[in-house]
């Protein structure tokens, strides 16, 4: 590519891995963040905020592609994505690559509904676009237990399985998509194994040397029924290779 690739959310869990991957492949990069440029950054930096629009035109200016990894973790993702689209439309229609979640149309969590709506904005943006949906990252599944570490009993979602995937594998796919022709909605990506939340929580505790009782909790409501039905799983796309056990072993090193 002749011009830089913009990575929104390039300071986040996924974004950092995308940045690393694109730099390794020798691409010119620009990272959008609300923070000011760190001294050591070996790429362009744009300080901006997708909630207010501040700094976004400077961030999208002259880029060939945008990998949109930023998230406000809530409803505001829709407006934030629209702001990015509007700015990209003013700056030469770069290829927009959007990361979404398997089951955004199956599990009725407010965040998933916002992701689905953001997907729809991308599809109707008039920009060349690609959307990749993946299952939960290992980091997120681990965090669901680690946030409870001070509690004597660890809650796990009863009847809910996860198919966690390694964030570096997702980043590699996004990096590949960003330098390829716009592909529309590409096949979902799921982790290599489907395991119960209880089992994953127990393994996390064992790997981090903690002895706790894991208590399966049945959470009422349509959203969690969606999880119990497995709406967020992609058994037919179990393409990830790094297992949760591999991830934990890597964290322990
Ligand atoms: N986590 C998962 O299991 C999972 C699974 C599938 C898909 N995804 C999707 O992957 C994406 C990245 O997730 P993640 O877990 O890597 O997120 P994360 O670690 O929480 O990172 C969020 C990023 O968004 C940026 N950001 C937040 N608010 C912003 C704003 N107002 N303006 C500009 N940037 C803003 C943050 O940058 P600064 O703080 O530097 O501004 C940060 O880099 C999300 O779209 C998520 O839905 C996640």
């Amino acid at each position: 590519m002749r011009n830089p690739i913009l990575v929104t959310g390039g300071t986040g869990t996924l974004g950092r891995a995308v940045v690393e991957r694109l730099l390794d492949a020798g691409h010119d990069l620009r990272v959008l963040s609300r923070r000011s440029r760190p001294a050591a950054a070996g790429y362009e930096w744009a300080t901006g905020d997708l909630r207010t629009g501040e700094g976004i035109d400077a961030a999208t200016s002259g880029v060939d592609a945008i990998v949109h990894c930023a998230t406000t973790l809530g409803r505001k993702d829709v407006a934030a994505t629209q702001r990015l689209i509007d700015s990209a439309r003013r700056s030469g229609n770069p290829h927009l690559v959007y990361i979404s979640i398997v089951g955004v149309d199956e599990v009725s969590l407010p965040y998933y509904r916002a992701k689905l709506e953001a997907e729809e904005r991308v599809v109707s943006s008039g920009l060349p676009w690609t959307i990749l949906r993946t299952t939960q990252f290992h980091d997120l599944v681990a965090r669901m237990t680690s946030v409870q570490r001070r509690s004597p009993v660890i809650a796990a979602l009863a009847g809910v399985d996860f198919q966690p995937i390694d964030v570096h594998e997702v980043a590699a796919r996004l990096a590949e998509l960003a330098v390829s022709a716009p592909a529309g909605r590409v096949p979902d990506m799921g982790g290599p194994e489907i395991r119960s939340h209880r089992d994953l929580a127990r393994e996390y505790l064992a790997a981090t040397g903690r002895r706790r009782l894991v208590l399966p909790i049945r959470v009422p409501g349509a959203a969690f029924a969606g999880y119990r039905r497995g709406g967020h799983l992609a058994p037919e796309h179990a393409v990830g290779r790094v297992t949760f056990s591999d991830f934990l072993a890597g964290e322990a090193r």
Side-chain angles (χ1 to χ4, degrees):
M1 288 206 166
R2 278 181 304 116
N3 297 311
I5 299 170
L6 174 67
V7 182
T8 75
T11 55
T13 306
L14 174 63
R16 283 196 307 271
V18 171
V19 165
E20 197 180 290
R21 194 78 192 189
L22 286 168
L23 284 178
D24 283 351
H27 297 291
D28 288 338
L29 278 197
R30 184 180 301 157
V31 164
L32 168 68
S33 165
R34 290 165 298 177
R35 309 170 205 186
S36 47
R37 186 184 199 282
Y43 38 79
E44 292 180 39
W45 189 269
T47 299
D49 190 332
L50 284 164
R51 282 196 184 190
T52 61
E54 195 188 336
I56 304 307
D57 283 351
T60 61
S61 164
V63 297
D64 280 342
I66 301 174
V67 186
H68 182 27
C69 300
T71 180
T72 63
L73 296 173
R75 282 286 320 152
K76 293 204 164 71
D77 267 14
V78 181
T81 300
Q82 188 62 54
R83 230 163 254 130
L84 182 69
I85 289 168
D86 293 344
S87 176
R89 295 275 295 161
R90 291 191 290 270
S91 83
N93 290 336
H95 176 195
L96 178 58
V97 180
Y98 184 56
I99 176 73
S100 189
I101 307 171
V102 170
V104 286
D105 45 358
E106 301 277 343
V107 178
S108 58
L109 280 179
Y111 183 54
Y112 280 29
R113 284 201 295 271
K115 296 284 297 183
L116 183 61
E117 219 181 299
E119 278 190 3
E120 288 160 3
R121 300 292 179 101
V122 171
V123 171
S124 60
S125 64
L127 297 170
W129 61 273
T130 302
I131 293 175
L132 172 67
R133 290 183 183 176
T134 77
T135 55
Q136 283 62 49
F137 306 153
H138 292 311
D139 312 63
L140 177 67
V141 171
R143 204 157 60 235
M144 288 165 73
T145 304
S146 70
V147 292
Q148 304 181 63
R149 64 186 174 277
R150 297 198 196 292
S151 165
V153 174
I154 303 292
L157 294 167
V160 174
D161 294 336
F162 285 104
Q163 188 183 352
I165 189 163
D166 192 80
V167 76
H168 297 281
E169 292 181 315
V170 175
R173 178 74 173 127
L174 284 176
E176 172 186 59
L177 292 169
V179 297
S180 305
R185 168 98 187 273
V186 294
D188 295 348
M189 259 184 108
E193 301 173 323
I194 297 179
R195 297 173 58 188
S196 71
H197 187 202
R198 181 190 201 170
D199 190 24
L200 292 161
R202 280 184 173 152
E203 186 173 356
Y204 175 84
L205 291 168
T208 53
R210 295 186 174 91
R211 291 169 70 89
R212 299 278 200 290
L213 181 67
V214 176
L215 197 64
I217 305 279
R218 196 178 170 85
V219 184
F224 289 91
Y227 274 136
R228 284 191 292 274
R229 279 195 304 274
H232 61 306
L233 303 176
E236 66 291 2
H237 296 288
V239 293
R241 288 165 175 269
V242 178
T243 64
F244 190 63
S245 310
D246 295 335
F247 164 78
L248 290 174
E251 291 287 285
R253 272 203 300 272

